[in-house]
Every structure is written in C-alpha cells, then in structure tokens.
Amino acid sequence: MRIFDLHADLAMTIKAHRDNGEKAVLRNVWHDRFMEGELLYTAAASFFRGEEDWEYMQDLVRMVQTDIDESGIKQILTKEDLDENDLQVTALMTIEGMCGIDKDGVERVEWLYKAGNRIGSLCWNDQNALATGNWGDPGRGLTPMGKDVIRKMNDMHMIIDVSHANEKTFWDILETSEQPVIATHSNAKAKCFVERNLTDQQMRALAAKGGLIGMNACNSFIHRKEKKQDARHLAKHARYISNLVGVEHVACGFDFGAYYGADEHHDLVSPEQAQNFIRGLEAEGFSEDEIKDIAYRNVFRFLKQYM
Ligand SMILES: [Zn+2]
C-alpha cells in the first residue's frame, strides 16, 4: 500500500551526510528504504528549533532543494505534480518552525514558498516572533506578525501546519486561517496524554474546517507504556480519531526517528517499516478503501484542493 508521510525530518539526515562530504543523500541513503516501505510520497522538512537565524533557514532550505535535485527525486510544487498513479519516490518540501522570521514576516514567508516549501508551521515548541509553541507561555498565541503570515500563506496556498502550536496558537490559527489546516504529526490526547497530542475538541474543530491529522509514530506519542509503543497501537489512534471525526481526516505523519538518530526500537521507526502501520490498520478493522484513504488518498485530495 502506497503511503504519503506528512512529516519527515529529512533536512537533518541530509545535513548530517552532506556535512560528511556526501551528496545525493535522498538517493544514496534513503531511496531504496522508501521503496521497500512503499513510502512513495514524503514530506521533506527543514526543521528549526528556535535559535536559528534567517540566513541559516535559507541555507538549510537551499540544501534540501540541492539534494532533491542531485538525487533526481520527483518534487511536488503544484497540483499538477500530484499523480496517484506515479510509483516513484516523490518529495514535498515543508518547514517546521519559522524562528528565523523575526521581521519582514510576509516577505520572508513568501521566500520560503518560492524556495519550494508547500506546508509550514510557524513554530516548533519554541516561542518566537510569529507564534507560541508547546514550551512557550500558555497565555500567548499568534502575534500580529504571525497573523499576517497566516493570511499570506492562505493567499499563496501554502498549507498551515498546527503540530507544535500551543493551544492558544492553535485556536488563533483556526480563527485566522480561511483555509483548512493540517496537524502533520500529532495523535489523540485521549489515547496518550502528551502536550503535543490533540484534544477531542481540537480535533473536532480541525475536522470541521476540513483539516487532516497525521499519525505520529514517535514512541512517546503512541502510548505511555513502552511495550505498547508500536505500529499496532498507533493504529488505535487512527481508529479513535476516525470514530470521533471521520476517517477522511486521518493521514500519516510518522516523524521517523531514523532520520534524526532517535533512540527508538519499535516496529515503526524507519521508512522501510511503514507497512507495519498498514497491518495495524487492518487489525483495527479498517476496510481496504479506508486504509487507502489514511495511507495517501486523504492527503492527495487535500493538496489537490488547497495547494
Ligand atoms: Zn515535530
């Protein structure tokens, strides 16, 4: 079963290898592993934790583009690039955190779009000039410049990612954005209580606006008990969210630890293991049609409409 992964920290692995003098990292290190896991469509996120400046942001984004080009990997830049029958590895550049935008918000987010990014979150867990992440002041949400950036993203059809936003920022974004938004890598708080998972109320609001929720395979987001941190139990989040808001709002956003060297050892930490999640969905009783929706069709439909 083909899969579209909405969140992958590929800039981190690309940078680690390129700093070692390697090139075409996506081709040489990851391509065959994507194919093995049938993870054909992947986000390629440039990640910024809070202290990076604008020059660093631009450099990292350019590096990701260079590696995609050197690797000969197909890239999604327009709706026309979305082809469900295309069975080759395809990348969609995304931004996780925009701390480098400390001024000129509208111009700089436009630069990010023109540089190829089609999904972006305004913050990681940090609190920055645009928004407030999970580690920031709970009473602080979007800033006025953050609201301008949301409107500009709407105008450009750049998709807004609310994973990592604190609750106040989440609600500010839902109020400000005219377009539906995506939580690229967040699970259900009711199934696993960590800050970054979403409350039922958040998921209902996100779904009512037409958004998507990408299932996150990071161990601590799946289950409190280590033994239950696996693909089978991630599928239980998909079941819970489908029952709550509808299967049409569920997607994949694995945030695989393999891309950044996380110390995780369950059965869903790397792209070649992606089909374990499909088997988990089967065990949860999803039909083949529903599994296709969760695996990639919901994302295709969303991007075809809103990109
Ligand atoms: Zn993240």
Side-chain angles (χ1 to χ4, degrees), residues 56 130 141 240 277:
Y56 181 92
L130 304 178
Y240 181 85
F277 182 57

Side-chain angles (χ1 to χ4, degrees), residues 7 9 47 96 124-125 161 163-164 184-185 196 216 221 255 260:
H7 187 73
D9 275 316
F47 161 58
E96 181 175 36
W124 185 61
N125 292 323
D161 177 7
S163 280
H164 287 286
T184 58
H185 55 303
R196 285 242 302 92
N216 185 341
F221 289 69
D255 197 6
Y260 54 94

Side-chain angles (χ1 to χ4, degrees), residues 102-113:
D102 53 354
K103 61 173 184 178
D104 306 328
V106 168
E107 291 78 9
R108 288 183 176 184
V109 79
E110 188 174 12
W111 186 92
L112 292 174
Y113 181 86

